[in-house]
Amino acid sequence: MKCKISAVFAALFLAVILTSCGSKGKNIVPVELWYGATFSEAGEPPADWEVFNIIRRKLNIELKISAVPASSAEAEKKITAAAEAGRLPDIFVVGGTVLPKLMKKECLSYVDDMYELMPTRTSQMYDVKERKSYGYKGKHYALSQPGSVVKNEGILIRKDWLDKLGLEIPVTLDDYMNVMKAFTYNDPDGNGKNDTYGYGAYLEIKKNSEGLGVKFDPIFGAFGVEGTFDFNKDTAGLNIYKDSYFDAVNFVRQMVSEKVIDPNWVVYKKDDFRNAWKSGRFGIMREQNAAFALENNYAPFDERFPDGEWIVIEPPTGPSGVKSVGIYTDQGHRIYAISKNAREKGKIEAIARLLEWMSSDEGYYLLGFGEEGVNYRRDENGKITTEGLADPSKAYTQKSFARYLQLRNLIFYNSEVELESRYPTWVSRNGKKMSAYAVLKDMQSQDWTPALGSEGLPAPSAEVKKYYEQGVMDFVTGKRVLIEENWQQWLNGFTRIGGIDWERKCKNYVESNNLLTE
């Protein structure tokens, strides 16, 4: 990763004319923004989006935007490649893994002096403690704002399939397996074809959810080994070293060998997975509340299966009586960074001006909901609603409008009123009231495992990470025979290449930061 710029090169940058003149003689500052998409399947706003014109006219900024890949790993690759080529954008969303690397390579601008330039946004978005995160040599490099809502995923099941097959809602792992078999082999959609599966997933691997990732956490949670690390003070350590981790891997192996899981899980990306459930391919999944229940996200499923119905259920209970949807963390933050080039080109004030406008009433409602009176209305209590619009097809909740809401992640900060507005109630084709907010509250009421601070766990070496992930995959898919002797031999190899050293670093981290739980 190459980012350090010599003093001579920096001086040359500063000597260049950095802006062009607008129609009224004012300097127009070009700002490039890489954002995290709100709706990964919806595409980017069109080039003639009125917001671009407003930003140019009112802020004297020529805004260019593009989304980073939905996959964290792919996004990291894109950002790393841009840093190596010296082509980082002015402001960009970035993960907590790659950010420290960019800091140490001096690819970034410090942000300490930006908060006073955007008082409204700072009061809403930037917690005092968070402003001191990601420090290096006395300065700080992260604009850390509220991100995803915690505990916003859950187990969903096709209730219409259960009803058709005369099945009860599954409770135990055995119940889950029986339902998955029925969903796979008993033609739950009644089309006479062998084209459905019990469970659907994809590899959504994170530092605090290694192995098979979060979509399988409910299975591992039934064995008490969800997530990468056990934060309980009496049993703290990497979950992979626990005996029950083998049992969890063995259950997933059974799912694969019984062919009750959509076989494409090994190659699916996030969008593929979501297209699959919307196409009626499987009947049980762990999914996020908004990705499931917002009108524009649910619409493809509703169009194909107007009588279809998903409901939130409890995660499976394991042999010792434990259950968990997965881990949750207190982080829940989204990080934006400013490139060093942006500061050297004198863009800091313009970027702060842009962010402050986004948090103004005008910017907030335009980016969050569209044009008042066209895409939304406010009721007598000031709450956002789509009722009474002249043309309901233009409501901000419609799938066709999703691409105009892609910058929502830059403005939302998860207040109660905001959540109600973000997740409005609507009616599906079969007359059922749908609310992503109600789904969220249902999901949050389920059993979860605290892993506070887990996003800061030391990362494994590249060799250990590859050995871990590839080994678990090989056992689950049958490339390696999953018996205790083979598992122990593999685990010994994991220890030899650095697994035990990684565990030691993780223990030191959680102990020194007082993160252990009772």
Side-chain angles (χ1 to χ4, degrees):
M1 188 181 292
K2 301 177 182 179
C3 274
K4 292 184 179 181
I5 302 176
S6 70
V8 174
F9 192 70
L12 288 174
F13 259 136
L14 294 174
V16 173
I17 295 176
L18 301 172
T19 57
S20 59
C21 290
S23 58
K24 295 184 179 181
K26 295 182 179 180
N27 289 335
I28 300 296
V29 182
V31 172
E32 183 177 8
L33 162 67
W34 287 3
Y35 65 91
T38 306
F39 305 103
S40 59
E41 303 160 85
E44 297 189 344
D48 62 353
W49 188 26
E50 180 59 23
V51 167
F52 293 137
N53 295 328
I54 293 172
I55 290 172
R56 181 183 175 91
R57 186 175 68 252
K58 293 190 174 184
L59 306 180
N60 300 316
I61 291 172
E62 191 75 52
L63 182 62
K64 177 183 178 182
I65 67 173
S66 61
V68 299
S71 162
S72 297
E74 292 177 7
E76 182 174 331
K77 288 180 182 178
K78 178 176 180 176
I79 291 168
T80 300
E84 290 175 345
R87 295 178 180 173
L88 282 172
D90 299 307
I91 175 172
F92 56 100
V93 67
V94 62
T97 300
V98 71
L99 179 62
K101 300 175 185 177
L102 297 175
M103 290 161 49
K104 292 177 181 178
K105 291 293 183 180
E106 299 183 14
C107 300
L108 305 179
S109 164
Y110 58 89
V111 298
D112 304 83
D113 58 350
M114 292 185 66
Y115 299 111
E116 64 182 14
L117 300 176
M118 40 187 188
T120 299
R121 185 177 181 85
T122 295
S123 65
Q124 292 177 349
M125 307 285 272
Y126 303 125
D127 179 83
V128 174
K129 291 182 179 179
E130 290 298 325
R131 294 180 217 171
K132 301 302 180 184
S133 63
Y134 296 100
Y136 182 64
K137 294 183 177 181
K139 295 183 178 181
H140 303 89
Y141 294 83
L143 292 171
S144 183
Q145 65 185 58
S148 59
V149 182
V150 296
K151 298 191 283 189
N152 65 340
E153 296 199 8
I155 294 288
L156 290 153
I157 193 168
R158 286 286 297 270
K159 184 179 181 299
D160 56 314
W161 286 9
L162 287 174
D163 293 344
K164 182 179 185 300
L165 299 177
L167 300 171
E168 298 292 328
I169 294 173
V171 176
T172 66
L173 278 171
D174 287 341
D175 295 338
Y176 265 73
M177 180 58 74
N178 289 334
V179 169
M180 286 189 285
K181 288 180 179 179
F183 281 1
T184 304
Y185 297 109
N186 294 354
D187 193 21
D189 59 2
N191 68 356
K193 300 178 181 179
N194 184 26
D195 59 356
T196 57
Y197 295 92
Y199 197 83
Y202 70 98
L203 291 172
E204 188 180 1
I205 297 172
K206 301 180 179 179
K207 185 168 58 174
N208 57 5
S209 193
E210 268 288 358
L212 297 177
V214 300
K215 297 305 181 187
F216 290 91
D217 267 358
I219 304 300
F220 283 77
F223 295 93
V225 288
E226 64 280 15
T228 300
F229 193 86
D230 180 358
F231 281 73
N232 188 286
K233 70 175 186 178
D234 297 323
T235 55
L238 292 176
N239 278 322
I240 198 167
Y241 279 124
K242 302 185 185 305
D243 292 340
S244 51
Y245 197 94
F246 170 86
D247 299 327
V249 172
N250 194 46
F251 188 87
V252 180
R253 171 60 192 148
Q254 184 184 355
M255 291 170 62
V256 173
S257 61
E258 296 279 2
K259 299 181 180 180
V260 298
I261 183 172
D262 181 349
N264 291 330
W265 71 271
V266 297
V267 296
Y268 274 159
K269 302 297 183 183
K270 181 189 292 186
D271 290 349
D272 302 320
F273 163 77
R274 288 177 174 164
N275 287 333
W277 73 253
K278 294 172 188 179
S279 299
R281 193 167 169 85
F282 43 79
I284 305 176
M285 62 179 178
R286 172 175 154 162
E287 180 60 295
Q288 192 248 14
N289 72 305
F292 160 66
L294 281 181
E295 185 175 5
N296 54 57
N297 289 331
Y298 190 82
F301 177 83
D302 200 24
E303 291 169 4
R304 295 170 181 138
F305 310 103
D307 295 322
E309 182 180 5
W310 293 87
I311 59 172
V312 178
I313 64 172
E314 294 183 0
T317 300
S320 62
V322 299
K323 59 184 175 181
S324 177
V325 177
I327 63 169
Y328 72 92
T329 174
D330 57 344
Q331 294 284 320
H333 280 72
R334 182 172 290 106
I335 300 170
Y336 277 83
I338 310 297
S339 69
K340 184 178 182 179
N341 284 345
R343 180 171 288 276
E344 291 176 337
K345 293 181 179 181
K347 297 185 180 183
I348 296 301
E349 191 276 336
I351 294 171
R353 188 164 70 246
L354 172 65
L355 294 176
E356 179 74 349
W357 175 82
M358 287 181 171
S359 292
S360 69
D361 282 349
E362 180 183 36
Y364 180 88
Y365 285 103
L366 268 176
L367 298 179
F369 307 100
E371 183 180 350
E372 185 170 5
V374 178
N375 309 118
Y376 73 95
R377 293 179 61 254
R378 290 191 238 191
D379 64 18
E380 61 276 10
N381 297 313
K383 292 185 178 181
I384 298 293
T385 180
T386 58
E387 295 182 5
L389 290 177
D391 184 353
S393 69
K394 293 183 179 179
Y396 76 93
T397 55
Q398 293 296 310
K399 181 183 178 183
S400 59
F401 196 71
R403 63 177 178 160
Y404 295 97
L405 303 177
Q406 293 292 33
L407 298 188
R408 270 185 165 186
N409 288 337
L410 277 152
I411 61 162
F412 281 167
Y413 55 100
N414 302 331
S415 67
E416 189 77 11
V417 172
E418 182 179 283
L419 290 175
E420 290 180 351
S421 299
R422 283 167 62 181
Y423 304 139
T425 299
W426 59 281
V427 180
S428 69
R429 290 184 176 229
N430 66 357
K432 180 183 177 182
K433 285 189 175 182
M434 298 285 293
S435 167
Y437 185 60
V439 171
L440 172 65
K441 296 182 81 67
D442 198 352
M443 289 175 169
Q444 290 177 327
S445 72
Q446 304 301 324
D447 289 270
W448 287 82
T449 303
L452 307 185
S454 61
E455 291 182 345
L457 284 169
S461 68
E463 182 182 15
V464 169
K465 180 178 175 64
K466 181 178 180 180
Y467 186 96
Y468 186 164
E469 295 172 3
Q470 189 61 56
V472 173
M473 276 291 290
D474 286 349
F475 280 118
V476 164
T477 57
K479 291 182 179 179
R480 292 183 184 223
V481 178
L482 184 57
I483 58 175
E484 290 189 9
E485 180 182 0
N486 292 348
W487 177 261
Q488 191 57 54
Q489 288 178 355
W490 175 81
L491 201 57
N492 291 341
F494 175 75
T495 297
R496 283 194 302 271
I497 68 168
I500 199 69
D501 293 331
W502 177 35
E503 181 180 59
R504 189 177 301 112
K505 291 177 182 177
C506 290
K507 285 183 176 180
N508 289 338
Y509 164 77
V510 298
E511 290 171 359
S512 63
N513 288 280
N514 299 313
L515 296 174
L516 292 174
T517 60
E518 298 292 334

